Amino acid sequence: MLPPTEDPERGGTGRLLVRLSNWLGDVLLARPLLHALRRALPEAEVAAVGPAALLELLRADRTIDRAEAWPAPGGGREDLARRLRAWRPTAAVVLPPSFSSALFAWQTGAPVRIGFRGEWRDALLTHPFLRPARGELHLSGEYLALGGPLGAAAGPLPALEPPPEARERAAELLSRRGLKGAPYAILGPGASYGPAKRWAAERFAALGRALAGRGLGVLVCGNGAERELCLNVAAEVGGGALALAGETDLGLQAGLCEGTAVAVCNDSGLAHLSASTGAPTVVIFGSTSSAWTAPLGPRVRIVQRAPVCAPCFRRTCRIGYRCLTAVEVGEVWRACAEAGAAT
Ligand code: SF4
């Protein structure tokens, strides 16, 4: 084990920097690493660098002492590196595989810099790790392995707790929309990555009608760019289904996910968020690998009909999206029951 601290015999009084990804799903898959570092180095001060909204989402985990928002392009990255350099990190763990993230760690002056090999960055890292082939190890395991030299080891992963004020806002929204105390399902028909991750909207709508038929309210959720898609799905579900895409921030969405009878989503950030809260979550995979990036949670069910061409990791498909068209509504319905959906 590396000496991450100034005084290893005291069990960890060092300053540990963790550069997180900019993607919601990847950040939630880094939770096992953050919890493991906290267990291994309980006295260390841990600073995490990532998008502000994602850092806020992790607050209740208490794995981070210092949240440093990653600035937008062109604004303040040198300042942030300078500020962290003054903080004198004793080690940095770099999760993104980009050259710029390794350069950033080097700029902070951390004497120990751990990350994945590649993109001409090995010289910037003191401990470059050879990454396994995609899907050989779950991404959360890859991240955890980066913490290995600091003593991080696998352990229990608690459910993600939405901020208390977000829980209140979720309850208030449900009350305002006539769903106070009523069971509801969440549908997530979007996926920013591209159509090779998106199950057909009409199948989501058919599933929504079946869920509504069991007495569940239906919330069709996503980001602002997915609003039209969600409006269309909600309209096709009918019966008062609500399209909330673009109306929810991450905290509020987590609050809604936490209380859902079931969430059915494509392989997207929303799926990771729902799974992390412990909600029954069904995730439909298309061109990507569930072995690599399946959401983490106690009640997750994956639906994947991988043809021989899968996973191809393509955003679009030239041969007819067989990986998605092969997934039938009935199969997803059964997965809802297997996930423990309260239907
Ligand atoms: S090539 Fe195969 S795995 Fe890739 S998107 Fe098309 S059908 Fe799906």
Side-chain angles (χ1 to χ4, degrees), residues 154-221:
L157 182 65
L160 182 80
E161 285 183 39
E165 58 76 29
R167 279 182 169 144
E168 283 171 24
R169 285 191 292 131
E172 195 272 326
L173 183 149
L174 291 168
S175 171
R176 193 161 24 93
R177 301 297 186 104
L179 287 170
K180 185 176 182 182
Y184 61 90
I186 287 176
L187 299 181
S192 312
Y193 188 76
K197 269 195 181 187
R198 289 201 286 263
W199 197 43
E202 53 273 21
R203 294 190 186 186
F204 267 105
L207 184 77
R209 284 193 293 276
L211 291 163
R214 290 291 179 99
L216 295 176
V218 176
L219 310 182
V220 191
C221 299

Side-chain angles (χ1 to χ4, degrees), residues 41-301:
L41 303 165
E43 293 178 43
E45 189 179 1
V46 178
V49 175
L54 301 185
L55 296 174
E56 176 64 21
L57 195 62
L58 298 180
R59 189 136 63 101
D61 273 349
R62 299 178 201 281
T63 53
I64 297 169
D65 302 297
R66 179 176 170 137
E68 292 285 359
W70 182 242
R77 290 183 184 173
E78 264 101 50
D79 286 350
L80 176 57
R82 235 186 327 270
R83 205 161 61 242
L84 287 167
R85 194 179 183 91
W87 178 62
R88 294 190 301 120
T90 47
V93 185
V94 185
L95 306 192
S98 61
F99 176 82
S100 60
S101 56
L103 178 65
F104 177 78
W106 178 80
Q107 287 171 325
T108 67
V112 172
R113 299 177 299 280
I114 309 169
F116 299 118
R117 305 189 83 119
E119 278 209 38
W120 308 97
R121 59 193 228 144
D122 294 12
L124 297 167
L125 300 169
T126 58
H127 295 75
F129 272 61
L130 186 61
R131 202 169 194 180
R134 273 200 284 202
E136 213 169 89
L137 183 64
H138 193 265
L139 183 57
S140 62
E142 291 185 15
Y143 288 159
L144 196 57
L146 292 182
L150 300 170
L157 182 65
L160 182 80
E161 285 183 39
E165 58 76 29
R167 279 182 169 144
E168 283 171 24
R169 285 191 292 131
E172 195 272 326
L173 183 149
L174 291 168
S175 171
R176 193 161 24 93
R177 301 297 186 104
L179 287 170
K180 185 176 182 182
Y184 61 90
I186 287 176
L187 299 181
S192 312
Y193 188 76
K197 269 195 181 187
R198 289 201 286 263
W199 197 43
E202 53 273 21
R203 294 190 186 186
F204 267 105
L207 184 77
R209 284 193 293 276
L211 291 163
R214 290 291 179 99
L216 295 176
V218 176
L219 310 182
V220 191
C221 299
N223 60 34
E226 293 157 356
R227 182 152 180 81
E228 195 177 331
L229 168 68
C230 293
L231 281 168
N232 290 339
V233 170
E236 282 203 36
V237 173
L242 300 172
L244 297 180
E247 296 179 26
T248 52
D249 55 42
L250 280 179
L252 174 54
Q253 187 63 65
L256 292 171
C257 286
E258 188 184 37
T260 190
V262 66
V264 180
C265 309
N266 292 317
D267 171 24
S268 63
L270 178 57
H272 286 275
L273 187 61
S274 175
S276 297
T277 66
T281 305
V282 175
V283 193
I284 301 158
F285 269 76
S287 70
T288 50
S289 163
S290 56
W292 192 38
T293 56
L296 295 178
R299 295 199 281 174
V300 173
R301 282 293 178 280

Side-chain angles (χ1 to χ4, degrees), residues 196 287 309-310 312 317 319 321-323:
S287 70
C309 45
C312 70
C317 179
I319 61 168
Y321 298 96
R322 182 75 192 131
C323 54

